[in-house]
Amino acid sequence: TQSTWGEIAPSAKMIHFMLLVSRQGKVRLAKWFVPMPQKDKAKVVKEISTMVLARPQKLCNFLEWREQKIIFKRYASLYFISGVDKEDNELITLETIHHFVEILDRYFGNVCELDLIFNFHKAYYILDELIIAGQLQETSKKQVLRVVAAQDALMDENKPDGKKSKAGAAAF
């Protein structure tokens, strides 16, 4: 099948991208699971964030856009936005977004936008443990947090000054 951008799209249902956008429209995290030129990514982000931010809160969290569905959820000051195949189940995608937020909450101890700004690499690492190639890979929050804690321990061992990182202290 042909995707919106002209490449051959995989036949499996998948997440095409995950965006975290602030209420002001600033992108805090953007993860793409399909190849796309940078110029097209910028257009997609602008178009989707404009649609989502302009949408009244009382309306549903699902939008049809091009050949995809946009599923989003607002948590505090951030919108978690996901682009999926039209055939994908919206509720499963919403649950995946919620799962990601719960893991971020446990890791950072009540995650806020500043945590994601200053520790964006941790948010990407957690997302990479959760979703691989557009498919949910790990459903266990404890397992994801264990892997992230192990990564933190490795990073702490390799620090020349020996200081421990504060992020992740609330992981367990």
Side-chain angles (χ1 to χ4, degrees):
T1 60
Q2 286 282 329
S3 75
T4 307
W5 299 284
E7 298 100 21
I8 301 298
S11 59
K13 297 175 186 171
M14 67 178 288
I15 297 172
H16 293 266
F17 56 84
M18 179 79 76
L19 304 172
L20 273 62
V21 179
S22 72
R23 284 189 295 173
Q24 294 77 31
K26 301 253 187 227
V27 177
R28 299 302 181 199
L29 181 139
K31 181 71 176 177
W32 300 86
F33 300 104
V34 292
M36 187 185 317
Q38 188 62 37
K39 204 175 203 179
D40 291 345
K41 287 180 185 179
K43 285 179 187 176
V44 167
V45 168
K46 184 175 183 185
E47 191 175 329
I48 289 173
S49 59
T50 302
M51 283 186 338
V52 168
L53 293 173
R55 193 162 172 88
Q57 282 188 328
K58 300 231 181 223
L59 296 180
C60 79
N61 294 354
F62 314 137
L63 296 167
E64 288 198 10
W65 176 77
R66 297 185 187 177
E67 297 297 316
Q68 298 177 17
K69 281 187 217 170
I70 304 300
I71 293 138
F72 64 95
K73 179 85 172 131
R74 180 177 163 196
Y75 290 93
S77 64
L78 286 173
Y79 286 90
F80 289 73
I81 305 168
S82 187
V84 299
D85 291 325
K86 275 195 174 186
E87 303 81 34
D88 268 356
N89 185 325
E90 299 93 348
L91 297 178
I92 290 175
T93 305
L94 267 180
E95 192 60 34
T96 301
I97 290 171
H98 186 69
H99 187 59
F100 179 46
V101 171
E102 285 181 328
I103 292 171
L104 288 172
D105 254 355
R106 281 199 192 167
Y107 181 76
F108 289 108
N110 199 11
V111 68
C112 68
E113 190 174 345
L114 285 176
D115 290 325
L116 299 176
I117 292 170
F118 293 115
N119 297 296
F120 64 92
H121 56 286
K122 302 279 187 187
Y124 277 109
Y125 188 73
I126 291 169
L127 187 58
D128 287 342
E129 285 299 317
L130 196 62
I131 300 171
I132 298 174
Q135 301 289 324
L136 180 65
Q137 295 299 312
E138 186 56 67
T139 57
S140 168
K141 293 176 200 120
K142 286 183 181 179
Q143 183 58 32
V144 171
L145 291 170
R146 263 191 226 113
V147 171
V148 174
Q151 178 71 18
D152 286 346
L154 273 174
M155 294 301 290
D156 286 342
E157 285 176 15
N158 292 330
K159 283 187 178 178
D161 60 2
K163 290 182 182 176
K164 300 285 182 192
S165 66
K166 290 183 182 178
F172 296 103

